[in-house]
PDB file of all heavy atoms in Angstrom:
ATOM      1  N   THR A1427      96.694  47.318   5.859  1.00 98.00           N
ATOM      2  CA  THR A1427      96.826  46.246   6.859  1.00 98.00           C
ATOM      3  C   THR A1427      95.570  45.390   6.898  1.00 98.00           C
ATOM      4  O   THR A1427      95.647  44.166   6.875  1.00 98.00           O
ATOM      5  CB  THR A1427      97.089  46.867   8.253  1.00 98.00           C
ATOM      6  OG1 THR A1427      98.213  47.732   8.187  1.00 98.00           O
ATOM      7  CG2 THR A1427      97.331  45.825   9.298  1.00 98.00           C
ATOM      8  N   ASP A1446      84.709  50.260   7.132  1.00 95.00           N
ATOM      9  CA  ASP A1446      85.531  51.476   7.069  1.00 95.00           C
ATOM     10  C   ASP A1446      84.664  52.713   6.996  1.00 95.00           C
ATOM     11  O   ASP A1446      83.645  52.741   6.295  1.00 95.00           O
ATOM     12  CB  ASP A1446      86.504  51.443   5.862  1.00 95.00           C
ATOM     13  CG  ASP A1446      87.714  52.350   6.137  1.00 95.00           C
ATOM     14  OD1 ASP A1446      87.527  53.585   6.300  1.00 95.00           O
ATOM     15  OD2 ASP A1446      88.843  51.842   6.212  1.00 95.00           O
ATOM     16  N   ALA A1447      85.098  53.737   7.703  1.00 91.00           N
ATOM     17  CA  ALA A1447      84.361  54.998   7.727  1.00 91.00           C
ATOM     18  C   ALA A1447      84.395  55.703   6.365  1.00 91.00           C
ATOM     19  O   ALA A1447      83.535  56.500   6.057  1.00 91.00           O
ATOM     20  CB  ALA A1447      84.958  55.906   8.802  1.00 91.00           C
ATOM     21  N   GLN A1454      94.973  55.309   4.396  1.00 90.00           N
ATOM     22  CA  GLN A1454      95.798  56.500   4.074  1.00 90.00           C
ATOM     23  C   GLN A1454      96.268  56.483   2.628  1.00 90.00           C
ATOM     24  O   GLN A1454      96.363  57.512   1.987  1.00 90.00           O
ATOM     25  CB  GLN A1454      97.024  56.561   5.014  1.00 90.00           C
ATOM     26  CG  GLN A1454      96.693  56.786   6.458  1.00 90.00           C
ATOM     27  CD  GLN A1454      97.931  56.603   7.343  1.00 90.00           C
ATOM     28  OE1 GLN A1454      98.964  57.231   7.110  1.00 90.00           O
ATOM     29  NE2 GLN A1454      97.824  55.780   8.348  1.00 90.00           N
ATOM     30  N   TYR A1459      97.458  59.830  -0.105  1.00 82.00           N
ATOM     31  CA  TYR A1459      98.539  59.927  -1.109  1.00 82.00           C
ATOM     32  C   TYR A1459      98.462  58.861  -2.202  1.00 82.00           C
ATOM     33  O   TYR A1459      99.440  58.191  -2.495  1.00 82.00           O
ATOM     34  CB  TYR A1459      99.902  59.918  -0.382  1.00 82.00           C
ATOM     35  CG  TYR A1459     100.233  58.663   0.402  1.00 82.00           C
ATOM     36  CD1 TYR A1459     101.129  57.706  -0.110  1.00 82.00           C
ATOM     37  CD2 TYR A1459      99.737  58.437   1.672  1.00 82.00           C
ATOM     38  CE1 TYR A1459     101.471  56.584   0.600  1.00 82.00           C
ATOM     39  CE2 TYR A1459     100.043  57.308   2.386  1.00 82.00           C
ATOM     40  CZ  TYR A1459     100.925  56.368   1.841  1.00 82.00           C
ATOM     41  OH  TYR A1459     101.244  55.266   2.556  1.00 82.00           O
ATOM     42  N   ASP A1466     109.266  50.966  -0.317  1.00 93.00           N
ATOM     43  CA  ASP A1466     109.699  49.960   0.647  1.00 93.00           C
ATOM     44  C   ASP A1466     108.693  48.820   0.793  1.00 93.00           C
ATOM     45  O   ASP A1466     108.520  48.283   1.882  1.00 93.00           O
ATOM     46  CB  ASP A1466     110.036  50.606   2.010  1.00 93.00           C
ATOM     47  CG  ASP A1466     108.876  51.445   2.561  1.00 93.00           C
ATOM     48  OD1 ASP A1466     107.867  51.592   1.850  1.00 93.00           O
ATOM     49  OD2 ASP A1466     109.003  51.916   3.699  1.00 93.00           O
ATOM     50  N   ALA A1499      82.728  52.186  12.940  1.00 96.00           N
ATOM     51  CA  ALA A1499      82.469  51.232  14.025  1.00 96.00           C
ATOM     52  C   ALA A1499      82.384  52.024  15.316  1.00 96.00           C
ATOM     53  O   ALA A1499      83.339  52.683  15.695  1.00 96.00           O
ATOM     54  CB  ALA A1499      83.554  50.184  14.075  1.00 96.00           C
ATOM     55  N   GLY A1529      92.662  50.145  12.438  1.00 96.00           N
ATOM     56  CA  GLY A1529      92.102  51.492  12.243  1.00 96.00           C
ATOM     57  C   GLY A1529      93.109  52.586  11.951  1.00 96.00           C
ATOM     58  O   GLY A1529      92.726  53.758  11.898  1.00 96.00           O
ATOM     59  N   GLY A1530      94.370  52.247  11.749  1.00 95.00           N
ATOM     60  CA  GLY A1530      95.361  53.261  11.343  1.00 95.00           C
ATOM     61  C   GLY A1530      95.450  54.431  12.283  1.00 95.00           C
ATOM     62  O   GLY A1530      95.604  54.273  13.508  1.00 95.00           O
ATOM     63  N   ASP A1701      99.029  50.655  11.917  1.00 95.00           N
ATOM     64  CA  ASP A1701      99.363  51.942  12.551  1.00 95.00           C
ATOM     65  C   ASP A1701      98.670  52.182  13.889  1.00 95.00           C
ATOM     66  O   ASP A1701      99.107  53.023  14.665  1.00 95.00           O
ATOM     67  CB  ASP A1701      98.996  53.098  11.611  1.00 95.00           C
ATOM     68  CG  ASP A1701     100.086  53.377  10.587  1.00 95.00           C
ATOM     69  OD1 ASP A1701     100.962  52.510  10.399  1.00 95.00           O
ATOM     70  OD2 ASP A1701     100.050  54.452   9.957  1.00 95.00           O
ATOM     71  N   ILE A1712     103.867  50.115   6.276  1.00 97.00           N
ATOM     72  CA  ILE A1712     102.948  49.164   5.679  1.00 97.00           C
ATOM     73  C   ILE A1712     103.431  47.716   5.863  1.00 97.00           C
ATOM     74  O   ILE A1712     102.667  46.817   6.237  1.00 97.00           O
ATOM     75  CB  ILE A1712     102.709  49.482   4.186  1.00 97.00           C
ATOM     76  CG1 ILE A1712     102.023  50.854   4.074  1.00 97.00           C
ATOM     77  CG2 ILE A1712     101.930  48.408   3.479  1.00 97.00           C
ATOM     78  CD1 ILE A1712     102.040  51.470   2.672  1.00 97.00           C
TER      79      ILE A1712
HETATM   80  C1  FAD B 238     102.128  61.013   3.018  1.00 77.10           C
HETATM   81  C2  FAD B 238     102.406  59.629   3.574  1.00 77.10           C
HETATM   82  C3  FAD B 238     103.390  58.859   2.982  1.00 77.10           C
HETATM   83  C4  FAD B 238     103.657  57.569   3.447  1.00 77.10           C
HETATM   84  N1  FAD B 238     104.623  56.821   2.846  1.00 77.10           N
HETATM   85  C5  FAD B 238     104.861  55.556   3.272  1.00 77.10           C
HETATM   86  C6  FAD B 238     105.823  54.716   2.625  1.00 77.10           C
HETATM   87  O1  FAD B 238     106.502  55.137   1.677  1.00 77.10           O
HETATM   88  N2  FAD B 238     106.006  53.435   3.081  1.00 77.10           N
HETATM   89  C7  FAD B 238     105.296  52.941   4.148  1.00 77.10           C
HETATM   90  O2  FAD B 238     105.475  51.789   4.517  1.00 77.10           O
HETATM   91  N3  FAD B 238     104.363  53.721   4.789  1.00 77.10           N
HETATM   92  C8  FAD B 238     104.137  54.989   4.381  1.00 77.10           C
HETATM   93  N4  FAD B 238     103.211  55.778   5.039  1.00 77.10           N
HETATM   94  C9  FAD B 238     102.501  55.209   6.191  1.00 77.10           C
HETATM   95  C10 FAD B 238     101.445  54.189   5.748  1.00 77.10           C
HETATM   96  O3  FAD B 238     100.502  54.851   4.883  1.00 77.10           O
HETATM   97  C11 FAD B 238     100.692  53.608   6.947  1.00 77.10           C
HETATM   98  O4  FAD B 238     101.658  52.916   7.714  1.00 77.10           O
HETATM   99  C12 FAD B 238      99.614  52.675   6.507  1.00 77.10           C
HETATM  100  O5  FAD B 238      98.611  53.338   5.766  1.00 77.10           O
HETATM  101  C13 FAD B 238      98.944  52.029   7.703  1.00 77.10           C
HETATM  102  O6  FAD B 238      97.964  51.176   7.257  1.00 77.10           O
HETATM  103  P1  FAD B 238      96.736  50.750   8.185  1.00 77.10           P
HETATM  104  O7  FAD B 238      95.921  49.849   7.344  1.00 77.10           O
HETATM  105  O8  FAD B 238      97.273  50.274   9.473  1.00 77.10           O
HETATM  106  O9  FAD B 238      95.959  52.094   8.496  1.00 77.10           O
HETATM  107  P2  FAD B 238      95.292  53.212   7.542  1.00 77.10           P
HETATM  108  O10 FAD B 238      95.894  53.230   6.209  1.00 77.10           O
HETATM  109  O11 FAD B 238      95.326  54.469   8.343  1.00 77.10           O
HETATM  110  O12 FAD B 238      93.798  52.730   7.402  1.00 77.10           O
HETATM  111  C14 FAD B 238      92.963  52.682   8.517  1.00 77.10           C
HETATM  112  C15 FAD B 238      91.524  52.729   8.098  1.00 77.10           C
HETATM  113  O13 FAD B 238      90.719  52.479   9.256  1.00 77.10           O
HETATM  114  C16 FAD B 238      89.555  53.249   9.165  1.00 77.10           C
HETATM  115  N5  FAD B 238      88.985  53.397  10.504  1.00 77.10           N
HETATM  116  C17 FAD B 238      89.612  53.790  11.645  1.00 77.10           C
HETATM  117  N6  FAD B 238      88.791  53.760  12.695  1.00 77.10           N
HETATM  118  C18 FAD B 238      87.606  53.331  12.191  1.00 77.10           C
HETATM  119  C19 FAD B 238      86.323  53.081  12.783  1.00 77.10           C
HETATM  120  N7  FAD B 238      86.095  53.292  14.087  1.00 77.10           N
HETATM  121  N8  FAD B 238      85.328  52.669  11.984  1.00 77.10           N
HETATM  122  C20 FAD B 238      85.525  52.467  10.667  1.00 77.10           C
HETATM  123  N9  FAD B 238      86.720  52.694  10.051  1.00 77.10           N
HETATM  124  C21 FAD B 238      87.724  53.102  10.813  1.00 77.10           C
HETATM  125  C22 FAD B 238      90.027  54.562   8.554  1.00 77.10           C
HETATM  126  O14 FAD B 238      88.943  55.242   7.906  1.00 77.10           O
HETATM  127  C23 FAD B 238      91.087  54.074   7.553  1.00 77.10           C
HETATM  128  O15 FAD B 238      90.582  53.915   6.265  1.00 77.10           O
HETATM  129  C24 FAD B 238     102.932  57.060   4.584  1.00 77.10           C
HETATM  130  C25 FAD B 238     101.949  57.853   5.169  1.00 77.10           C
HETATM  131  C26 FAD B 238     101.683  59.129   4.700  1.00 77.10           C
HETATM  132  C27 FAD B 238     100.615  59.949   5.340  1.00 77.10           C
END
Side-chain angles (χ1 to χ4, degrees):
T1427 305
D1446 204 298
Q1454 294 171 53
Y1459 62 102
D1466 55 355
D1701 277 16
I1712 295 166

